[in-house]
Amino acid sequence: MNDYFIQVDQVHKDYKIEKSEIKVLRGVNLDVRRGEWIALLGASGSGKTTLLNIVGALETPDKGEVTFDGFKYTSMSREKAADFRLTKVGFIFQAYHMLPELTILENVKLPAMLKGRHGEDVSAEAKDLLEKVGLGHRLRHKPAELSGGEQQRAAIARSLINTPQLVLADEPTGNLDSQTGSEILEIFKKLHDSDSGKTLIMVTHDPDVANLADRIVHMKDGIIVENA
Ligand SMILES: Nc1ncnc2c1ncn2[C@@H]1O[C@H](COP(=O)(O)OP(=O)(O)OP(=O)(O)O)[C@@H](O)[C@H]1O
Ligand SMILES: [Mg+2]
């Protein structure tokens, strides 16, 4: 019995493009405690997004294993992986990835509807989450009618609609000015400090952002290094 929530054990990932092969992850080990906030730093191309995608079961490792709450990913079918992503993991990306045709409220409801949840309680939950991120007055807006910071706040609300235990964020403040970025970080801080204390893995290039986290992890050339 151990108290780690997520364990990444000797994960390797290669990409093959025509005849050449890029070794992107070369034996990554990372243990994350429940409720821990990890900041993942490293040079461009060091493999941060790839690692996040593997932890979120968007991609599979070539070698190695990820364990989530005692459950091993290698035993997961594609169907199970899709349900796992929808239920257990919230994703937040640098470029927001809101669907442009839907209102903000509809975007936030979408992951719940994909899980077969419909009706008034889903709408009420989505509204509540949007109010918590300060967007209660923007429910009927389309993403293009919002600022970048507002879209990212909506994306955070969307990531939480299925009450995931793990939230993965890939440079969530990368496209925002520093004031707006600080507001977004304040939301993450609340998420982290709340009773339901989400486990948070956040990729960032900004050391100031990283200082808010419980632990800073550096990646270099496809592995995690102790001292950057
Ligand atoms: N689907 C893919 N096919 C081929 N190569 C890929 C693919 N995804 C990533 N790579 C390569 O893997 C390496 C690591 O990419 P990754 O996106 O994980 O880096 P990163 O650390 O997130 O960088 P950045 O800080 O620029 O976002 C890069 O050299 C990239 O070109
Ligand atoms: Mg990246």
Side-chain angles (χ1 to χ4, degrees):
M1 188 63 192
N2 63 63
D3 55 358
Y4 287 114
F5 183 47
I6 294 156
Q7 289 184 289
V8 178
D9 183 25
Q10 280 300 317
V11 160
H12 289 71
K13 182 78 182 176
D14 301 339
Y15 288 113
K16 289 174 196 71
I17 295 182
E18 293 173 358
K19 289 205 176 90
S20 64
E21 194 180 68
I22 318 170
K23 291 193 182 309
V24 178
L25 300 183
R26 301 188 299 167
V28 172
N29 294 308
L30 178 65
D31 294 330
V32 183
R33 289 177 201 284
R34 192 183 294 276
E36 198 173 19
W37 179 350
I38 302 271
L40 189 56
L41 271 74
S44 181
S46 58
K48 305 178 300 294
T49 295
T50 306
L51 176 60
L52 220 57
N53 288 344
I54 288 176
V55 171
L58 278 169
E59 290 188 55
T60 49
D62 296 324
K63 253 198 307 187
E65 178 64 277
V66 180
T67 311
F68 179 103
D69 210 6
F71 176 80
K72 283 192 190 304
Y73 285 17
T74 36
S75 56
M76 215 161 28
S77 65
R78 285 176 83 91
E79 200 179 32
K80 191 119 202 241
D83 187 62
F84 173 84
R85 287 194 296 273
L86 210 48
T87 311
K88 306 273 191 200
V89 191
F91 289 95
I92 297 156
F93 306 92
Q94 180 175 356
Y96 328 126
H97 292 309
M98 308 299 284
L99 291 182
E101 297 303 319
L102 302 182
T103 66
I104 291 308
L105 183 64
E106 288 163 345
N107 265 285
V108 172
K109 284 165 65 177
L110 192 62
M113 292 170 80
L114 289 171
K115 268 208 72 72
R117 295 170 58 215
H118 296 274
E120 274 310 302
D121 46 332
V122 174
S123 293
E125 271 175 49
K127 276 184 203 155
D128 186 49
L129 283 167
L130 280 163
E131 268 157 26
K132 285 201 173 113
V133 297
L135 284 179
H137 58 314
R138 291 283 187 270
L139 303 179
R140 314 271 165 221
H141 281 57
K142 298 269 175 71
E145 296 159 359
L146 296 182
S147 70
E150 287 171 336
Q151 287 192 59
Q152 194 58 302
R153 283 191 263 159
I156 295 173
R158 179 184 56 186
S159 80
L160 299 174
I161 189 79
N162 287 334
T163 55
Q165 296 155 35
L166 171 66
V167 175
L168 301 175
D170 200 350
E171 297 188 48
T173 59
N175 283 346
L176 304 173
D177 63 71
S178 60
Q179 172 62 32
T180 313
S182 317
E183 288 164 22
I184 296 293
L185 285 172
E186 202 47 47
I187 296 172
F188 280 113
K189 199 168 170 325
K190 277 195 191 131
L191 266 184
H192 174 65
D193 294 345
S194 72
D195 292 345
S196 59
K198 307 282 181 204
T199 305
L200 190 55
I201 305 180
M202 181 185 290
V203 172
T204 180
H205 283 288
D206 182 350
D208 290 338
V209 173
N211 285 335
L212 279 172
D214 296 321
R215 185 152 60 103
I216 300 175
V217 168
H218 294 272
M219 274 196 93
K220 195 177 177 202
D221 301 332
I223 53 166
I224 288 187
V225 287
E226 288 300 325
N227 297 299

